[in-house]
């Protein structure tokens, strides 16, 4: 899946979670958003294949971008 498609899906998931919890503040976890929860021996989030998770990196960047852009 291309980065923009993942970004679009993560934005929708993040905004839906925030909408459901409004007006109560909600912490966002990029691992939960990406679906990759495993961590290797060095603390890096990894995918099912044991390699660094690209989906996690995009989810984290999405949360950061939404915050920096003033959306969240």
């Amino acid at each position: 899946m291309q980065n923009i498609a993942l970004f679009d899906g993560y934005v929708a998931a993040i905004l839906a979670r925030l909408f459901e919890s409004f007006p109560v503040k909600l912490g966002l976890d990029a691992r939960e958003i990406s679906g990759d929860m495993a961590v290797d021996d060095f603390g890096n989030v990894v995918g099912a294949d044991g390699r660094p998770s690209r989906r996690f990196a995009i989810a984290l960047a999405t949360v950061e971008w939404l915050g920096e852009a003033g959306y969240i």
Side-chain angles (χ1 to χ4, degrees):
M1 190 175 276
Q2 293 186 349
N3 291 1
I4 192 68
L6 288 171
F7 172 82
D8 289 345
Y10 294 154
V11 167
I14 290 164
L15 294 179
R17 288 178 188 192
L18 293 173
F19 180 79
E20 289 173 4
S21 72
F22 184 81
V24 177
K25 288 184 179 183
L26 176 69
L28 297 171
D29 184 346
R31 291 178 303 161
E32 187 178 303
I33 294 165
S34 70
D36 287 337
M37 301 294 288
V39 178
D40 67 12
D41 294 338
F42 301 103
N44 300 311
V45 177
V46 295
D49 59 2
R51 296 171 46 183
S53 173
R54 181 175 139 267
R55 295 184 326 173
F56 167 76
I58 294 170
L60 182 60
T62 301
V63 171
E64 291 172 347
W65 184 86
L66 286 170
E68 291 170 2
Y71 288 105
I72 60 173

